[in-house]
Amino acid sequence: MSLDSLPPLRDVIAQHDLGAKKAFGQHFLLDLNLTGKIARLAGDLSQAHAIEIGPGPGGLTRGILEAGAKSLTVVEKDARFLGALDDINQASGGRLTVHQADALDVDEDALLPSDAPRIILSNLPYNVGTLLLIKWLEADPAWWTRAVLMFQREVADRVVAQPGSKAYGRLAVISQSRCDVRMGLKVPARAFTPPPKVESAVVVLDLLPEAKRFADVQALGIVTASAFGQRRKTLRRSLAQAAGQTKASAEDLLNAAGIDPGARAEVIDVDGFQRLATEWRKAR
Ligand code: SAM
């Protein structure tokens, strides 16, 4: 059997009784043209090991394998999909490895072969999408090189946001301190079965080379949480919480980082937050 001889996804869902469960954030993509397009956003997969979180009935899984991934490892929490995924494995010539687990708990580095770059692809379950992204951004040592991720449109906007915009905040600063990010594809709610309440979008993140990647994600997390936690206040005031964990005042930290204490968080660029995180760490 080959991948293109597999039945349409609607038939797979009916055959294995795979009705979507809300508790698992299940919204399926059944159009294989669309899942192929998402897989191709990852570029040439033939020299990469791919990992997909939440394959469900396997629409994107099929797209990734058809795009020629050297191997594909999937992590799915809901055991109901194992039969359908096994059929895909057989049709792919054994390139698919399935793990039934919660993606928040797995050690991806240990699961994946290490003789080629690793690429993450996922139509993420909305309830854990941001948590998974943060887990991957914080991973040290970094085990992946590129991620192609579908989020709710609002979350995707927050990943790629630029200073001065409403969407600019913690997620933009942390993502862009570790990766080059770009909006890949906007996807309307009606593309999913069942349709979610909001639009979605695919974001492509390329991990920066180590020399350009900001290492202290923890400090960055603390200063951005404080600064954007009260985003309408000036940094002199909003940063007091993070400064309280150091020997310095908010004003001292800001001056040392070359940032105007009278400015608001949303106008400070990613470099500015990295300088601030560095000063925060020095003052601990
Ligand atoms: N990839 C499929 C598609 O595009 O049609 C399904 C996407 S659906 C939005 C999210 C998938 O993630 C579901 O299959 C769900 O069971 C799975 N999932 C939800 N939470 C998970 C978790 N914590 N770990 C692993 N898989 C999870």
Side-chain angles (χ1 to χ4, degrees):
M1 211 205 301
S2 64
L3 285 165
D4 50 10
S5 61
L6 286 166
L9 285 160
R10 278 190 198 286
D11 296 355
V12 173
I13 287 173
Q15 204 182 327
H16 294 268
D17 195 16
L18 301 176
K21 279 193 185 164
K22 215 174 171 185
F24 287 119
Q26 292 173 352
H27 298 278
F28 305 136
L29 292 171
L30 305 184
D31 175 355
L32 294 170
N33 289 321
L34 177 58
T35 58
K37 205 166 163 184
I38 296 169
R40 288 192 295 278
L41 285 173
D44 178 13
L45 284 171
S46 67
Q47 299 308 316
H49 294 297
I51 175 165
E52 183 193 0
I53 305 307
L60 183 56
T61 316
R62 283 159 69 162
I64 297 167
L65 291 165
E66 261 160 18
K70 210 169 150 76
S71 77
L72 170 58
T73 301
V74 295
V75 179
E76 172 59 62
K77 195 169 170 182
D78 185 347
R80 294 181 306 147
F81 297 110
L82 299 182
L85 293 169
D86 192 41
D87 293 345
I88 298 176
N89 179 35
Q90 291 189 25
S92 76
R95 279 184 291 148
L96 181 66
T97 305
V98 181
H99 293 277
Q100 194 215 331
D102 186 323
L104 287 168
D105 300 332
V106 297
D107 176 356
E108 299 90 341
D109 198 12
L111 288 188
L112 291 164
S114 56
D115 59 338
R118 283 93 156 253
I119 297 184
I120 312 170
L121 295 104
S122 181
N123 171 14
L124 287 164
Y126 289 160
N127 43 355
V128 291
T130 316
L131 284 176
L132 284 169
L133 174 60
I134 296 288
K135 176 188 175 196
W136 298 328
L137 291 170
E138 285 180 343
D140 183 26
W143 55 267
W144 56 282
T145 56
R146 174 172 288 175
V148 175
L149 306 176
M150 173 96 76
F151 292 102
Q152 286 164 270
R153 172 73 192 279
E154 173 263 330
V155 176
D157 285 343
R158 286 201 279 127
V159 172
V160 301
Q162 294 300 306
S165 66
K166 249 188 175 173
Y168 183 67
R170 261 190 106 192
L171 201 55
V173 174
I174 296 176
S175 301
Q176 296 170 31
S177 290
R178 305 285 290 168
C179 301
D180 260 334
V181 302
R182 70 182 170 88
M183 189 63 92
L185 185 71
K186 292 172 187 164
V187 183
R190 67 181 139 75
F192 299 84
T193 304
K197 289 203 180 78
V198 292
E199 275 194 351
S200 297
V202 181
V203 172
V204 182
L205 301 103
D206 280 309
L207 203 70
L208 290 164
E210 193 162 4
K212 285 192 173 174
R213 213 170 356 179
F214 189 72
D216 195 348
V217 183
Q218 193 207 9
L220 203 55
I222 290 170
V223 296
T224 52
S226 187
F228 288 104
Q230 297 170 298
R231 58 191 292 146
R232 287 210 216 110
K233 291 193 177 164
T234 61
L235 284 163
R236 176 184 292 118
R237 298 183 65 190
S238 61
L239 208 66
Q241 198 188 352
Q245 300 173 41
T246 72
K247 297 178 211 97
S249 67
E251 189 118 5
D252 291 342
L253 292 176
L254 289 157
N255 285 329
I259 294 171
D260 172 8
R264 293 199 171 87
E266 68 181 40
V267 303
I268 307 304
D269 64 12
V270 172
D271 279 354
F273 277 109
Q274 293 178 358
R275 295 194 303 275
L276 196 53
T278 304
E279 295 305 327
W280 180 89
R281 179 64 71 194
K282 277 200 235 159
R284 287 274 281 170

